[in-house]
Amino acid sequence: PGDASRPADPQPDQPPAPPLKDWPSLDALGERMVKLRFTPGLSLSVMHDGVMLYSKGFGSGDLQTGARVTPRTGFRIASVTKQFTAAAILKLQEQGKLSVHDNLARFMPEFPQADQVTLAQMMSHTSGMNDYLNHQAQSVLVAAQTRDYTSPELLRIISAVHPVYSIRPGQRWLYSNSAFSLLGIVVERVSGQNLADFYQTHLFAPAGLRQTAMDERCSAFDGCDGYRPNYRIAAGFDPILPVSPTFAGGAGGIRSNTEDLTRWHDALFGGKVLKAASFAQMITPMLLKDGSPAWEYVGPEKLNYGFGQGIGHLDGRAFIAHGGRLNGYTSHLRSLVHERLTVAVLYNSDGTGVPGFTAAQRAVRIEAMKLGMKEIGIA
């Protein structure tokens, strides 16, 4: 059975949080993920307009000790990090230190063709840049699991990817971890702070995130272990180390929990982190140079892309969403924008090579959103 946890204790001037909802159908899907050995554990939280509706952990965060997952268990959130990096750039724009329409060359003149690409294109995956994580030598990725990197080292690794650009900037949507890690370095150069400190000061603290951080050392991670399914062994999983936070950088270096992630979107909606105009920029679909939409996905659930956020519509209701996957971890964060309904799910499995893992994830977040919509009277 799942382990329920109350949201963090209210401050003295706040009323007690209402009781969490009992949603057996969602419990069953979480328990099924563990029973079928898709993941050792998962954490799931649903929030509406600042009020936690549902928050539970399922399964184990450490197969050796049997430690249970709770909604406050830490996970690496992988590419959900990207919206934090985009928010950092928008915060610097609010401070008058840059514009999203600036060329990268203003901040990083040494990077190849930096005068041809804008920060906005980098934040929307329309820069045309290649991807240093998904097109990296295996030996480098293995080394990155157990060592930390300086920003100059990371910049050299990204610059060495060949080709640096797969297509011309603004030509079409092309996912790029390189672009977001470079944006993290831009934040450091413009602000004079390292990325972890900038996140903490300007994003995490204003949003009230209590257990969210970008660790500057591999050994500092405070959270559950990551795993990869292996049905050939009795345990069903191999432990696997993710690349270090300083190697994933602004593309995937943050750790958090599901309660904090729901608070993050609530803070964005409530203007606690960014001004309304900046948030509007974040969730405005990007256009290519020819004026056509920069589609992330064209299918049953079409997705545009803004700044670090996928943008779509569900039954006519606008939503923002982002997923992530890193060695040992999978993440998803999704909100109905105007209804301020948020679902956060974190897994300590990357699901590699497992048929049904993606479909099972989708079933969990669909049921969570459906129950949340029903609870607030819009289903």
Side-chain angles (χ1 to χ4, degrees), residues 41-45 56-58 69-72 75 258 344-347:
L42 67 142
S43 177
L44 172 59
S45 295
K56 281 192 177 182
F58 301 86
V69 171
T70 79
R72 298 179 192 173
F75 292 73
T258 56
V345 198
L346 297 171
Y347 306 86

Side-chain angles (χ1 to χ4, degrees), residues 23 35 47 107 111 118 165 181 190-191 201 224 243-244 248 273 312 368:
W23 288 340
K35 183 178 180 180
M47 176 179 279
F107 315 102
F111 192 77
T118 68
Y165 296 84
S181 285
V190 173
S191 70
T201 303
C224 63
V243 295
S244 66
V273 177

Side-chain angles (χ1 to χ4, degrees), residues 13 172 175 238 256 277 327 361:
D13 60 344
R172 64 180 174 86
Y175 196 83
D238 290 319
S256 188
N327 283 358
Q361 284 185 76

Side-chain angles (χ1 to χ4, degrees), residues 233-246:
I233 61 176
F237 297 93
D238 290 319
I240 184 167
L241 293 173
V243 295
S244 66
T246 52

